Amino acid sequence: MFEALKPQPQDKILQLIGMYRDDPRADKIDLGVGVYKDATGLTPVMRAVKAAEKKLWEQEKTKTYTGLAGEPDYHAAMASLILGPTYDASRLAAAATPGGTGAIRQAMELIRLASPNATVWLSNPTWPNHPSIITYLGMKSAEYRYFDAETRAVDFEGMRADLGRVAAGDVVLLHGCCHNPTGANLNLTQWAEVADILTARGAIPMIDLAYQGFGDGLDADAAGTRLIAARMPEVLIAASCSKNFGIYRERTGILMALSSPAQKVVTQGTLAFLNRQNYSFPPDHGARLVTMIVNDPALRADWQAELEEVRLNMLSLREQLAAELRRLTGSDRFGFIAQHRGMFSRLGATPEQVERLRTEHGIYMVGDSRLNIAGLNATTVPILAAAIVKTGI
Ligand code: LMR
């Protein structure tokens, strides 16, 4: 049987991890996978996470199964974080998932079950695992324009025109904030227009929210999602706690489905059913920590303070890199780096230039020239800027 297997294409982002690890150069710089690193290169365990783990160890009485869709207090904690404390629980069905990717996968399975012929519209470009999962599940997808390669800002004209062609019942996948891979985000006026277009077309929005708190702040980063949730009758939200709680390996995510109170019961049952088919019970450790942190005022305050430090550090690195490139080039053509938000910016380099950055300078970024700003520090910013200029980007 196994001889029938064909080698699968390697994920372009994950491939970089191995290449970087195997590079013997001491001065190599990793700007690949989307993991936050402090100035010493460490991905720290956040203070509130450590404190919650200690408390959990002292207080936990059982490790029996959770609910099939995870625990309701986790759903409530995540809903209040994402939708705001006054969210409408009567519309909400939710399931804990293994990470944000687990939530995306379950969302696609839900869409396929409810509407097998629906087309899922993806931004061009988008996170490579989006089309990969959709293709694997045999679903239909289409692209809408999103990024202006010249200005490195959102191509809203193109996006508007393409979303105007979406058919009733299609699903449009949007990045809630900190667009991956570009770093270019919609403003609130544009979110409102997207809501209007999708309403007029009868389409269903699905929001991938993996970086809440990394862009403009916890509430600001959820503003687009909240607007869509308030205005549209049916919404899917796949969220990750990997980045904003720094619990990557705990695989902590959630899929939320907003519909009518009458529909909610069947949707909730379907989410539980899908969990059962794929992995039965979702992982709980990370979900428990998140619930404890969100619900404990002291832990929450400390978590928010540390998250804010992380956010401001990334903003400062953006400013430093844009300023250094301004100094070296005498132009503001890299000013977009300071305008973008979140971990990533798309530099606009060719694959050959990205390759040269790696081979000649030991600088690793994704082939589409997505760089992880959080991989930089005050020492490596000028090194990267000089390499960018030397490579003729
Ligand atoms: C990324 O885009 O680098 C992260 O979301 C990690 C991943 O799984 O690709």
Side-chain angles (χ1 to χ4, degrees):
M1 174 181 78
F2 295 137
E3 65 275 9
L5 295 176
K6 295 183 185 67
Q8 297 296 334
Q10 266 196 300
D11 183 282
K12 297 256 181 324
I13 298 172
L14 304 186
Q15 196 176 13
L16 279 177
I17 300 176
M19 287 166 74
Y20 177 78
R21 194 189 43 223
D22 297 342
D23 187 334
R25 286 173 285 187
D27 57 352
K28 60 189 176 178
I29 301 173
D30 178 15
L31 308 178
V33 68
V35 169
Y36 177 77
K37 292 185 205 142
D38 65 16
T40 69
L42 179 76
T43 302
V45 182
M46 294 178 89
R47 295 184 300 261
V49 168
K50 271 283 185 212
E53 280 185 319
K54 188 156 185 261
K55 227 171 162 176
L56 183 61
W57 185 82
E58 285 160 2
Q59 294 174 357
E60 194 172 44
K61 290 201 177 64
T62 181
K63 284 199 186 284
T64 187
Y65 292 124
T66 63
L68 191 47
E71 297 292 18
D73 58 353
Y74 173 62
H75 301 170
M78 288 300 288
S80 73
L81 208 56
I82 293 169
L83 299 171
T86 57
Y87 74 92
D88 181 358
S90 72
R91 296 179 61 204
L92 177 71
T97 57
T101 304
I104 291 163
R105 170 66 187 258
Q106 296 299 76
M108 292 306 160
E109 299 239 18
L110 184 76
I111 294 163
R112 192 173 60 164
L113 207 56
S115 180
N117 290 318
T119 295
V120 181
W121 290 72
L122 304 173
S123 67
N124 179 13
T126 193
W127 185 50
N129 221 14
H130 286 155
S132 174
I133 291 174
I134 291 169
T135 305
Y136 179 68
L137 290 175
M139 297 168 72
K140 287 193 285 188
S141 68
E143 284 180 352
Y144 61 88
R145 274 169 285 172
Y146 184 80
F147 189 60
D148 184 327
E150 254 332 285
T151 62
R152 274 84 149 186
V154 175
D155 171 11
F156 197 66
E157 292 285 300
M159 181 174 181
R160 181 196 282 127
D162 290 346
L163 293 186
R165 298 189 290 113
V166 168
D170 281 355
V171 175
V172 176
L173 181 44
L174 302 153
H175 295 228
C177 64
C178 307
H179 186 269
N180 181 3
T182 68
N185 295 301
L186 298 178
N187 63 36
L188 217 48
T189 313
Q190 292 167 331
W191 274 104
E193 203 176 321
V194 168
D196 288 343
I197 298 170
L198 300 192
T199 303
R201 304 300 305 168
I204 296 110
M206 171 177 162
I207 298 171
D208 181 354
L209 188 64
Y211 297 91
Q212 188 185 358
F214 271 30
D216 292 308
L218 266 182
D219 287 321
D221 288 347
T225 304
R226 290 177 190 176
L227 182 148
I228 293 277
R231 290 205 192 172
M232 302 208 55
E234 292 188 332
V235 183
L236 285 163
I237 302 166
S240 169
C241 300
S242 296
K243 329 276 165 161
N244 54 4
F245 286 86
I247 49 173
Y248 304 83
R249 62 176 61 179
E250 300 299 350
R251 310 312 299 138
T252 307
I254 191 165
L255 173 59
M256 299 198 266
L258 297 172
S259 57
S260 66
Q263 175 58 45
K264 166 192 163 148
V265 180
V266 174
T267 307
Q268 182 63 54
T270 309
L271 292 180
F273 167 81
L274 286 174
N275 268 11
R276 183 64 168 161
Q277 305 321 304
N278 284 330
Y279 39 78
S280 276
F281 301 87
D284 184 59
H285 185 71
R288 200 96 315 270
L289 300 176
V290 167
T291 309
M292 290 168 75
I293 293 168
V294 171
N295 290 335
D296 178 314
L299 288 180
R300 180 168 177 152
D302 193 35
W303 167 64
Q304 284 190 207
E306 192 170 356
L307 180 59
E308 193 60 4
E309 285 166 30
V310 163
R311 185 180 81 81
L312 294 176
N313 183 35
M314 285 188 290
L315 274 184
S316 158
L317 288 165
R318 287 185 175 284
E319 296 283 352
Q320 289 172 46
L321 183 58
E324 184 63 6
L325 283 162
R326 195 176 302 121
R327 193 181 71 76
L328 292 178
T329 62
S331 86
D332 203 28
R333 64 196 172 87
F334 290 101
F336 63 86
I337 293 172
Q339 307 304 320
H340 287 167
R341 285 293 178 271
M343 286 192 129
F344 307 120
S345 272
R346 181 181 265 202
L347 211 49
T350 64
E352 293 72 32
Q353 289 168 326
V354 172
E355 178 75 6
R356 279 184 59 201
L357 284 174
R358 185 172 66 76
T359 52
E360 293 170 22
H361 303 277
I363 296 171
Y364 285 72
M365 64 181 67
V366 183
D368 64 1
S369 75
R370 182 195 85 170
L371 65 112
N372 174 14
I373 295 288
L376 291 166
N377 58 40
T379 311
T380 52
V381 162
I383 298 172
L384 171 64
I388 287 174
V389 172
K390 214 169 156 199
T391 313
I393 296 167

